[in-house]
Amino acid sequence: MNRDNTKGKILLQRVGLIALFNLAMLLVLIGRLFYLQVYQAEKYKTLADENRISTRVLVPPRGVVYDRNGVVLAANEQNFQALIIAEHTPDIDQTLKAFKKIMPLSADEEEKIRKDILNNRKFVPVKLKDNLSWEEVAAIQLNAPFLPGIVIDEGLNRYYPLGSYTAHFLGYVGAVSEQEQKDDPLLLVPGFKIGKSGLEKAFEHELRGKSGSLKMEVNAYGRIMKQIERINGKEGKKLELTVDSRLQQAAQDAFGDHSGAAVVLDVHSGEILAFVSVPSFDPNLFTTGISHQDWNALLHNERNPLTNKALAGQYSPGSTFKTVVALAALEAGVINENTTFSCNGKMMLGNHAFHCWKHWGHGSQNVVEALKNSCDIFFYEVALRLGIDKIAETARRLGMGKLTGITLDNERSGLIPDKSWKQKRFGTRWQQGESVIAGIGQGYVLATPLQLAVMLSRIVNGGYAVSPTFTKMSLKDKGKIKKLPYSKKNIEIVKRGMYEVVNGEHGTAAKARFNLNGVKMGGKTGTTQVRRISMQERRNGIVRDEDLPWKLRNHALFVGYAPHDNPKYAVAVVVEHGSSGSGVAAPIASAILQKVLGLNL
Amino acid sequence: MYKYYEARLKNRTLTLKEKLFNISLGYVLCIVLLATIGVITLYSAAGGSWTPWASRQASRFGVAFGLMILMSLIDIRYYLKYSTVTYIVVLLLLIAVEVSGVVGMGAQRWIDLKIFKLQPSELMKISLVLVLAKYFNNCTLNNIESTGGLIAPFLMAVFPAALIILQPDLGTALMLLFTTVVIFFAVGVQWWKFALVGGGVCALMPIAWHFLHDYQKNRVLTFLDPERDPLGTGYHIIQSKIALGSGGIFGKGFLNGTQSHLNFLPEKHTDFIFTMLSEEFGMVGGVLIILLNLVIIVYGYLFAFRTSSYFGKLVIIGLNTNYFMYVFINIAMVLGLLPVVGIPLPLISYGGTVMLSVMASFGIILCMDINRDINFGRNSFNED
């Protein structure tokens, strides 16, 4: 009985312990609840929102690019896509089969589509085909009863109405590459395209616009339940260029089958009116995804359609450079209007002979005549007296030998050599003979077509240091253009020489002359050797340039301006392996100037 | 009133009226309150609809409530008298389930009685408590403190537990064993024996690990590190914590739980209902549930203290422990303190079996309390 009492007491003691234990454990639960719901509440609120809210980036339309007259050069075109939503079709195989009857799919495409369907949730639309034509869209809609689950969706594609005419300065857009910084949410949107070259790249910031966002509540399976918030983005700014699309097309067409480049500038402002590099390519191929075949054809074409020759092509300016040398010599006082040199076909320097292009010589030549006839001997003599540094100084002031600062990628600086350059580059002294060669724009001298147009503009506008631009200049900016220290008289002498080149009797570009109600052009031809001519050939003199393989023929150049008495427009034309400046380049420049005069801008 | 005191003093069987008068109102009120909160939460879980869960749960509770009252009115002596028979019958049912499971392929936990599914493991939780209470009631303290006296009750617990593990239902088996441990502790088994067995179990742990099913291993591993598999088994725990934490102090409001209604939270109407409730009603709601359960459990121990019979005390302790474990394991599990073992929150989670078993337990506890003044001796009823 005593033991029974003890048994009961022990039970009561132990029950007390058990009750305390239960109490303690439930307090632990309350403590944990406090930890999660008060101490860590913020963290979990964020996580719950991340679960619940799906943010979609709204893509703004890219800014439209216009020419100077409001003609659209780059637009956004509706892109119709066929999509399939798996949960809306009872039988995917049957639907795909029916779709293939209307739009054939390659085995690769079909495999990718099936993979996409498997990898996505059933309500996610999967792309079947994009860039559908109107006819294809109509066909799909007509057959809609047999195509359950297939919907048409429209997006925006960049489209260049003028295609290859504008490719080299507009550039094109393409997919964002792995390396590019993803600081803008737009760059993470699948299929988003950014400017990859040309003005599309240079003005990417303005053209892209600002993204909007759409916040939606989604459930655990990703299905959209409701819209929470919508922030509209800002569409890209429109871009108005100085280019005239009519002139651009005429200028490019003027080249025919030739390859080369041409730049037309407004001489007073530097505004670019036409910017040609031929052959060109169709930038629309890049937006819709260029085929391997097309890409290889572009890449391996010996005429380099992908290179923008107007600013990345460096050529010996040849005789077009004589305008620079003439101005430099007049300004330096080495010659005046009446100074003459006698040309008998060659000039000896030490025991080395420098030849004139005209083997029997031009006789006595002053500066105007020397320009008109493109007499090499005159300029050999002048360069010898002037020295390379004086020539280089003038050439650089006129915009050569350095980047023009145009808003496009891949511009090359050309080359204007001088004594210190030679010392630095080769570690040897400048030779007098090299000055002689530079005097006719050969040797080390290199220039891009764009630089030649700038150089000519700066001379014929009376010595104003205009710079090329694709965007219209404000009056204020025009007022800021620097005046170069050249006398009006000397500039007029050079211009008279250029007038004679075209309009004088037997001028080198006489065949390209025109007279539109008294408006004429001036200019300067240039033909530059691509290969050395051996003495043997010189003696035989039978191989005509036109008979050589294309790659070995001379480059043909012409810089021209109009109207002759009150210059407004300057053009530089380079025809690669065009054989003859007077025969090939000058007529192209003449056609371009006649066109621009006719447009009456 | 006079008759009631008379009965208490005379230690005789109570009349029906006396029994009803003796039922603890506070206890029953807490139970009804919890069940009501459960129905409301199920209404929200269905997105603000009585179907498919809330209305069925409400009618089930009605039936279970009747069962509870019925169990409380049964003559207390029957519980003592028939506990051994009941235990044997339930054990046979467990074996039957096991056999039919082997024959009928795959896991089998219930016997289909057409009207409801009888789950012998739930019955075993109650009948084991009763049979152990009877056994220890009949023991002397010397028996209890000797090792030999513990062999029989040990086998009584281990045998059904082993059958349940085979089902396989590790959670229920562990609950059964824990309840046994608590009863052993209550009757006064020496501390050092627990230490010895505890040490032995820890030593055997690595071996037991090999016998766990892959999904059970996964649950334990995922519990230890939920980020291990955030889209698989860890998903439940992570989403539960997010739902709880984002609920904050006052919750997102009734019907406004984003985690639950957007289906990020799995099993929101069964095992994870506490999470859903705490997402919508915040810490305030969660603490209210825990406190109500605490009151029910404290009531239980109060009953144990004031019951004069040793048998009655032990039955209450066993069943109360059982209930405590349901509550603690479920809530600790959704709070990320225990592995996800599939134990529902009684009275709140949707489901009939646990509701019936828990309400039956409450009925038995009430019966012990109603007849608290009836004392019966070690070996038989005190029937002077």
Side-chain angles (χ1 to χ4, degrees), chain B residues 245-279:
Chain B
S246 61
I249 298 177
F250 298 107
K252 296 175 185 169
F254 189 51
L255 300 177
N256 286 333
T258 58
Q259 285 281 106
S260 346
H261 291 299
L262 297 172
N263 286 325
F264 291 101
L265 184 67
E267 302 294 329
K268 59 175 181 281
H269 62 294
T270 56
D271 290 359
F272 283 87
I273 197 161
F274 181 80
T275 303
M276 179 181 170
L277 196 139
S278 302
E279 188 192 11

Side-chain angles (χ1 to χ4, degrees), chain A residues 25 48 51 86 110 116 126 139 248 332 349 363 378 456 493 542 548 583:
Chain A
M25 294 304 270
N51 264 346
E110 197 178 334
D116 286 350
V126 166
Q248 177 72 24
L349 184 68
F378 180 89
L456 185 69
I493 293 167
I542 45 162
L548 286 167

Side-chain angles (χ1 to χ4, degrees), chain B residues 41-42 45 219 222 232-244 259-261 264-280 329-346 348-350:
Chain B
T41 312
L42 287 173
R219 279 177 178 179
T222 307
T233 28
Y235 181 82
H236 292 200
I237 297 173
I238 293 170
Q239 294 301 338
S240 177
K241 279 158 85 173
I242 292 174
L244 282 161
Q259 285 281 106
S260 346
H261 291 299
F264 291 101
L265 184 67
E267 302 294 329
K268 59 175 181 281
H269 62 294
T270 56
D271 290 359
F272 283 87
I273 197 161
F274 181 80
T275 303
M276 179 181 170
L277 196 139
S278 302
E279 188 192 11
E280 298 201 338
I329 292 175
N330 175 270
I331 298 180
M333 166 182 111
V334 304
L335 293 181
L337 291 173
L338 283 180
V340 178
V341 285
I343 300 280
L345 185 61
I348 312 239
S349 287
Y350 180 76

Side-chain angles (χ1 to χ4, degrees), chain B residues 198-210:
Chain B
V201 168
C202 286
L204 286 174
M205 220 61 126
I207 299 164
W209 180 253
H210 280 287

Side-chain angles (χ1 to χ4, degrees), chain B residues 18 46 166 203 313 349 360:
Chain B
E18 285 166 338
L166 285 174
K313 283 180 199 287
S349 287

